[in-house]
């Protein structure tokens, strides 16, 4: 079905930016509903824009996605962006596709670290914001106070006069209304649509009839292959047109446009042409990557692409070589793993892939452990079996000295947890820069090595009984801060292969906490528990009870074992020590030593300590 053509002056391209869980995806849902994008009887899931399974499960946006709303004579293209710091690369590259941003701020929590990060990128790109103060119906909401805080943030980020004079709206995405002033009559989202049509400028079109577009995203279709997504800078594209793919490091490549897609509601529609100013998808390219220029003329200048903040952590991926390898997954070879990681690196520009020395090892550089955990989780659902290492930071040599990445950390914790949090930050080489208390909660700002953040989120949840909120932003490279120990316990390591039984586990339980239960298969070198001392203890979870003819009173007591601790993928990745790996299969997450054989491990540790 071909969508009706629209003129450039009636197009509005906006990105929705916000901190995690401030309601932007819910707001997009409401805009789609109220613009008539869904039929009256159509059943639509809540947060329908979060289409990935992991997005639904985690309750966060991971990939930037496009949709559009037809309101009166206007076509409003909306890019829904992630709010989590690990997915900042997704935010940065969409700034080239849009002409304005809608900043969503929670009326109780106010601007947070990620709000600052995405807003900084938008203001630097010269985009004018519209601010929506969401959740005004929340208990203890302070919408007017939050308006002042947003204006302070604009000043801090050196907004221009136009940006500082941004229009403000108040409302509730959940209840589906927006008002220009608190106390105005609640009449759906109409005031929001009016402000977007009035205050966001139409797209800037370059002079000339020649087609030109910057690839800001890459999609995939099983029918047409790679799809280049971006905003048309000039001219129009029609099916059958010849288009050149231009890169700075290679000669131009010619292709033919096979299909044109426009984004509407939760689907894509085929279109006869892509007009200047519109966000479209083009197919017909065997290879096309983010940041490339598409043009009808091979001689044109390349469109500049936004600089992405550098990856700060590295993890290695390798083939599963454990005794249980190949039982659950059907993608287990190094070639399959390499191809999958290459595919990920092409569509996810903040991930960089390097081959390591061993042919079966790959180094993945990324923004944070969560970003890599999302990739690993996708892979295990696709049938992969892999070994993943603990994240290590990417260090640099500057003036002959080793430097490591540092981050600005923002914490909001209950007053009674402040002491414990400050102690934990000190252990991780963090320095508190400022503190402020408000209504039983304290906000802390600290500078901390990225290394010190690995595993900190879980510690924070324990210290604050689940009430702590944290967010962080890359700050700069500084001289190496020395040794940081984030795990102060050893492990219980299996010496045998077989099935763990209750009798053996009951004895092992006296030495620490268990990670496996009775009936689970274990193997030599597998981590089966935690030991409160710093060294590792070899144990035998498969040892059966010695059978005799005599029975002592109470010897066969059947008290239950304490339930085994089960790790999420992220928790496992951040928990393991440098000499350990996480074995990830479609059905299991296991912790193990890099070297499974006890004697070889002992020999290796003697070598490294001497």
């Amino acid at each position: 079905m071909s969508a009706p053509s629209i003129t450039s002056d009636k197009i509005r391209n906006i990105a929705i930016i916000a901190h995690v869980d401030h309601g932007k995806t819910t707001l997009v849902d409401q805009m789609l509903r109220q613009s008539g994008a869904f039929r009256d009887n159509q059943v639509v899931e809540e947060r329908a824009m979060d289409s990935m399974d992991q997005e639904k499960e985690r309750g966060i946006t991971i990939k930037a996605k496009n949709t559009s709303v037809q309101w009166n004579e206007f076509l409003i293209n909306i890019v829904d962006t992630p709010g989590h710091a690990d997915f900042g690369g997704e935010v940065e590259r969409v700034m080239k596709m849009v002409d304005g941003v809608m900043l969503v701020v929670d009326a109780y929590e106010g601007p947070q670290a990620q709000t600052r990060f995405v807003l900084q990128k938008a203001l630097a790109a010269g985009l004018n914001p519209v601010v929506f103060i969401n959740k005004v119906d929340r208990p203890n909401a302070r919408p007017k106070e939050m308006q002042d805080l947003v204006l302070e943030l604009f000043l801090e980020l050196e907004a221009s006069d136009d940006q500082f004079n941004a229009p403000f709206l108040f409302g509730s995405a959940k209840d589906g209304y927006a008002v220009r002033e608190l106390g105005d009559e609640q009449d759906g989202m109409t005031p929001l649509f009016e402000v977007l049509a009035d205050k966001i400028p139409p797209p800037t079109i370059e002079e000339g009839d020649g087609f030109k577009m910057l690839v800001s995203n890459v999609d995939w279709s099983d029918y047409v292959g790679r799809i280049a997504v971006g905003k048309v800078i000039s001219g129009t594209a029609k099916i059958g047109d010849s288009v050149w793919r231009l890169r700075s490091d290679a000669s131009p490549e010619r292709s033919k446009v096979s299909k044109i897609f426009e984004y509407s509601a939760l689907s894509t529609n085929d279109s006869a042409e892509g007009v200047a100013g519109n966000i479209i998808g083009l197919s017909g390219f065997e290879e096309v990557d983010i940041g490339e220029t598409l043009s009808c003329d091979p001689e044109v200048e390349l469109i500049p692409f936004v600089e992405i903040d550098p990856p700060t952590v590295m993890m290695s991926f390798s083939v599963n070589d454990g005794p249980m390898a190949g039982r659950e997954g059907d993608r287990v070879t190094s070639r399959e793993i390499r191809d999958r990681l290459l595919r990920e690196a092409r569509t996810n520009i903040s991930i960089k892939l390097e081959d390591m020395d061993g042919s079966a090892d790959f180094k993945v550089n990324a923004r944070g452990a969560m970003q890599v955990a999302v990739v690993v989780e996708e892979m295990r659902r696709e049938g992969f079996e892999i070994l993943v290492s603990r994240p290590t930071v990417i260090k640099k040599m500057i003036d002959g000295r080793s430097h490591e990445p540092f981050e600005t950390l923002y914490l909001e914790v209950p007053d009674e947890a402040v002491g414990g949090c400050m102690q934990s930050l000190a252990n991780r080489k963090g320095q508190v820069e400022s503190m402020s208390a408000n209504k039983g909660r304290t906000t802390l700002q600290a500078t901390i090595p990225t290394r010190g953040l690995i595993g900190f989120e879980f510690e924070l949840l324990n210290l604050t009984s689940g009430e702590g909120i944290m967010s962080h932003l890359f700050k700069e490279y500084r001289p190496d801060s020395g040794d940081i120990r984030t795990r102060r316990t050893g492990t219980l390591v299996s010496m045998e292969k077989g099935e763990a039984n209750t009798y053996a586990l009951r004895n092992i339980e006296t030495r620490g906490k268990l990670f496996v239960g009775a009936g689970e298969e274990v193997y030599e070198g597998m981590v089966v528990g935690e030991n409160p001392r710093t060294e590792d203890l070899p144990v035998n979870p498969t040892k059966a009870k010695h059978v005799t003819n005599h029975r002592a009173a109470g010897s066969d007591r059947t008290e239950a074992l304490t339930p085994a601790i089960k790790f999420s993928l992220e928790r496992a990745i951040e928990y393991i020590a440098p000499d350990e790996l996480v074995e990830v299969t479609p059905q299991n997450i296991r912790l193990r030593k890099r070297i499974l054989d006890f004697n070889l491990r002992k020999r290796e540790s003697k070598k490294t300590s001497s």
Side-chain angles (χ1 to χ4, degrees), residues 499 501 503-504 540-545:
E499 195 175 285
N501 66 61
Y503 171 74
N540 182 2
T542 66
K543 186 180 178 182
K545 185 176 181 182

Side-chain angles (χ1 to χ4, degrees), residues 73-93:
E73 74 272 31
F74 291 94
L75 175 70
I76 303 172
N77 284 315
I78 302 166
V79 185
D80 185 15
T81 61
H84 197 285
D86 280 14
F87 309 107
E90 293 285 317
V91 177
E92 291 166 296
R93 63 180 167 73

Side-chain angles (χ1 to χ4, degrees), residues 467-486:
E467 289 186 45
I469 299 169
M470 72 170 266
S471 39
H472 54 95
L473 298 175
F474 171 72
K475 187 172 185 178
E476 62 192 357
Y477 270 82
R478 287 186 182 180
D480 199 308
S481 52
D483 186 42
I484 298 176
R485 288 194 61 193
T486 54

